[in-house]
Amino acid sequence: MAGLSSFFRTILVRGPWLALLLCCTLLLAVPALAQDDDPTPKQQLAQIDSTLKDVERKRVDAEATETLGTLSENASQAKRDAEALEKTLQPQLDQLNEQLTQLGDAPKDTTEPPELAAQRRTLTRQRDALVASIAQAKSSAVRAQQLSEDIDKQRNAQRTEELGQKVASPLSPALWTKVAERLPIDIARVAPLAQLGRDALVAGIRTHGWGTLLLGVVAALVMMFPLRLWLRALGRRFAASERAPDGRLRRSGLAMWLLLVGTLLPGYAVVVLMAALGAIDAIAPRLQVVAEGLETATFRAAFIAALSACMLVPQRPSWRLLNLDDTAALKLRKYAWGAAALAWLSTVLLAVDQATRTSDVTTVALDGLIALTYLGLIMAMLVTLARLHRRQTAEAEAKLEAQADGQGAAVPVRRSSWLVLARVAGNIAVVAAIIATLMGYVNFAKFVNQQLIGGSIVVLAATLLFKFVDDFSTWLLNADSKVGQTILLSTGLSVSRLEQAGVLLSAVLRTFVVVIALLALAAPFGNIGSVVERVASLANGISIGDITLKPARIAIALLVMVVGLGLTQLLQRWLTDTYLPKTELDLGARNSISTITRYVGIILVGLWALTAMGLNLKNLALLVSALSVGIGFGLQAIIQNFVSGLILLTERPVKIGDWVKLGDQEGDIKRINVRSTEIQVSDKSTLIVPNSELITKTIRNMTMGNNQGRIQIQFAVPASTDVAGLRQALLDAYGAHNAVLQQPAPSVYIDSIAGGQITINSFAYVASPRQVYGTRSDLYFSLLQILAERNIPLSTPTDIHITRDS
């Protein structure tokens, strides 16, 4: 029972790593673990000092670059802890200084109450302690920074020395002669290690029994085979079902699922097995490095195998994410299995080498064999890629010839540019590694091979994540998805705005993937912690004068903008659709109220966002003062139109629906914005007029005081005409037209009698100025018909031209 409980405790200790990875991947929340009471500043400073002393002590004996990298990370973490402690203590110091300022200095001539004196002494002691702690924290941060930089320099120098170290060439007989001499001794070192493992296993079983070990073995086998295969099949069935999301997310989502299942289950199966062995004390202390190496090797190999499986998919071309044919996918899949096996074997052999402490000659030979094996694997992959490129080139040329002969449809020829880049980079690396290996620079060749394989893995993983986050973002914020429909119904956003949000989310996530991939590629060349620390230092903010812009505050300001603009839009929609239609206001007044509400809301949201960003009113006034010069010159016209728009919306000399005449243009006002007004003219085109034109110039509002339109018809007839009968005929014609109003009644007048002509002037009214043109045309037709029926000619003025004979 003791072994079983220890087994479960070990699982719980190692389990949070897997749980955290799964929950981050599946976007689930992990409950926070309870923590102990926070240590005091003195304890934190003591811990930081202890960490730095430990780093300085271990740095002297550190030989491996990996050890130096760990020490540099520890120093950087100590620096971050010291800076965090300083930031925590500074507000407390400010508060104590403020309290002491309020108390003031001790009076010299009079005796103050004992309580005040005691309070001043207490506050002074606390302040002095905080000042000392802050000073020590600053000193520790500087010390940690210098230590981290020195370790990085030492690490780079040591790595350069290792890469430039020359040993005997693998083709040298002397090397293999030394290996033959030392190999029996090194094998003899391995035998006691194996015996030590057997003894620990037998002792553990004798003490704790078989139960815990069998439980671990069964759990590992179940996770490795039935559970892993069942989860893979479950993912494929779901991706092929109707419940899966439409579009590209089916394919990239299935690939991500297969990658997670294929990586975590085999790796965690070994973790469970090692936990079972550790629970019964079956792992000797000397073999602990080998056990950890087995776990690391399994995770690496499983990741490589799972990544190649989900990207290549030899048996299902329709699910393949790379532009490869079946032949290339099948061969590259075999090479990927070889790379996974080689990664597993090299990691385990390195762990065994560390545990047995074999000779340098055997280690060099082993590194040389690993480097040559990597070279052979890379060369085989390059040959496959070269053949694939030739096949794609031949297919492209055949398609182009068919298109030129008119035998095939004009389709774009798809070529893989990444194949060319992969071949060029691989050939250069292979040539460099071969030359380095033959010359004896085995470490350099091994480093180049590992970086080429590792870089390819990072690029493939980043490509998969790139596709997945893009597909997930566009699917999540799409009008056809449930989430997108919920957002559309709850916020009233348009479909285009929702799709734009999906594209922006995809861009942000892909940028994050690119940054992670670049950090992973740069990790072997330096202390990645220092790079992350420099990026994280941006969280402290960027100072612009007296203003400090922090990413967190900027994010809060953007959130405030989004929420505030959404609330403003909801308020405007409520006014427009619900409240204002219930009032007695006309359309123009309702538009003015809703428009002013919108822009007032935008201004308030802008001020709110600036305040959330950390700008107080004083800084905001300084900002406005700085912008006033630009407003006075470059933005003068915009500000003028903006103020004119507010005047139009407030005083309403013109409103929506008015028929106005501006210069030689006239039409209906369709919209009044803050900067300009839209007028629809008779040909249905839109005239955009700056608001300052409507304020500073004279315009004619045809419908402001009276919505009626007036028709005037004026003509001349001979003096012999029966004007009484003509008058009645005109009034009858006006009254017969259905557009002519009865009130005011039509009227016919004699305007003048001169030159043997009688000038008739008549008026009629219609309901709107927009009806004047068409109604007047109809009345002209009626007038001509009346004149024709009565044989009344239209008179024209007589032009008299006086000429003088020469």
Side-chain angles (χ1 to χ4, degrees), residues 610-783:
L610 292 176
T611 304
M613 196 182 297
L615 296 176
N616 55 33
L617 295 180
K618 180 180 178 180
N619 294 334
L620 185 59
L622 293 176
L623 181 62
V624 172
S625 300
L627 292 176
S628 61
V629 178
I631 292 174
F633 290 96
L635 304 179
Q636 183 178 3
I638 296 177
I639 297 301
Q640 182 181 7
N641 289 322
F642 178 79
V643 175
S644 300
L646 295 179
I647 293 174
L648 289 176
L649 293 172
T650 305
E651 295 185 356
R652 300 176 65 217
V654 293
K655 58 184 182 297
I656 292 179
D658 283 354
W659 180 276
V660 297
K661 186 173 183 180
L662 181 64
D664 57 348
Q665 298 287 341
E666 58 180 328
D668 287 314
I669 293 181
K670 292 298 183 182
R671 180 177 299 174
I672 300 177
N673 299 317
V674 173
R675 191 194 66 84
S676 62
T677 298
E678 299 177 8
I679 301 176
Q680 188 179 52
V681 296
S682 57
D683 61 354
K684 302 302 181 183
S685 63
T686 300
L687 182 67
I688 301 176
V689 181
N691 289 331
S692 59
E693 296 286 322
L694 301 177
I695 294 297
T696 60
K697 292 187 177 181
T698 302
I699 64 171
R700 184 178 180 184
N701 193 335
M702 309 292 291
T703 57
M704 180 177 181
N706 188 359
N707 291 331
Q708 296 177 354
R710 191 184 73 165
I711 299 173
Q712 180 182 11
I713 296 178
Q714 191 174 18
F715 59 95
V717 295
S720 59
T721 303
D722 181 9
V723 293
L726 179 59
R727 177 177 181 273
Q728 187 60 42
L730 288 176
L731 292 175
D732 293 340
Y734 291 167
H737 198 287
N738 56 5
V740 176
L741 299 177
Q742 300 300 321
Q743 293 293 332
S747 58
V748 179
Y749 301 98
I750 294 178
D751 190 62
S752 65
I753 301 175
Q757 296 178 357
I758 301 175
T759 302
I760 304 295
N761 196 2
S762 61
F763 300 94
Y765 295 89
V766 291
S768 171
R770 300 169 185 82
Q771 300 177 357
V772 169
Y773 189 82
T775 306
R776 182 172 56 192
S777 175
D778 294 340
L779 294 179
Y780 272 135
F781 280 110
S782 300
L783 172 62

Side-chain angles (χ1 to χ4, degrees), residues 177-383:
T177 301
K178 293 181 180 179
V179 170
E181 295 175 356
R182 297 295 306 178
L183 189 60
I185 300 175
D186 292 333
I187 293 177
R189 289 181 179 180
V190 176
L193 196 67
Q195 183 63 38
L196 183 64
R198 286 195 295 270
D199 294 341
L201 179 62
V202 171
I205 295 174
R206 184 184 303 113
T207 304
H208 301 282
W210 287 90
T212 303
L213 180 60
L214 289 178
L215 178 62
V217 171
V218 171
L221 291 176
V222 169
M223 294 175 65
M224 179 69 76
F225 296 106
L227 181 60
R228 180 174 62 90
L229 297 177
W230 179 74
L231 289 177
R232 290 176 58 185
L234 180 65
R236 291 194 180 98
R237 286 197 301 269
F238 179 79
S241 65
E242 296 181 354
R243 296 178 299 168
D246 296 332
R248 300 175 302 177
L249 186 59
R250 286 174 178 258
R251 192 170 59 172
S252 59
L254 176 61
M256 283 296 300
W257 174 257
L258 294 178
L259 178 62
L260 290 175
V261 172
T263 302
L264 296 180
L265 288 179
Y268 203 62
V270 177
V271 170
V272 170
L273 182 59
M274 293 299 106
L277 292 173
I280 62 173
D281 298 327
I283 301 178
R286 192 176 174 184
L287 292 176
Q288 190 64 39
V289 177
V290 179
E292 295 176 356
L294 282 171
E295 294 178 1
T296 304
T298 305
F299 273 109
R300 288 179 179 176
F303 181 78
I304 296 173
L307 181 62
S308 63
C310 66
M311 294 291 287
L312 298 175
V313 197
Q315 306 299 330
R316 296 176 176 84
S318 60
W319 294 91
R320 191 173 301 148
L321 295 177
L322 297 178
N323 183 24
L324 301 172
D325 54 26
D326 294 343
T327 303
L330 186 60
K331 290 185 177 180
L332 289 177
R333 178 79 171 107
K334 295 179 180 178
Y335 297 146
W337 276 103
L342 186 59
W344 187 90
L345 183 62
S346 60
T347 305
V348 172
L349 288 178
L350 179 61
V352 173
D353 182 69
Q354 292 178 355
T356 56
R357 301 180 182 91
T358 56
S359 61
D360 295 338
V361 175
T362 304
T363 302
V364 170
L366 181 62
D367 290 340
L369 289 176
I370 292 176
L372 291 175
T373 307
Y374 271 121
L375 278 176
L377 186 63
I378 295 172
M379 292 175 64
M381 291 182 179
L382 291 177
V383 170

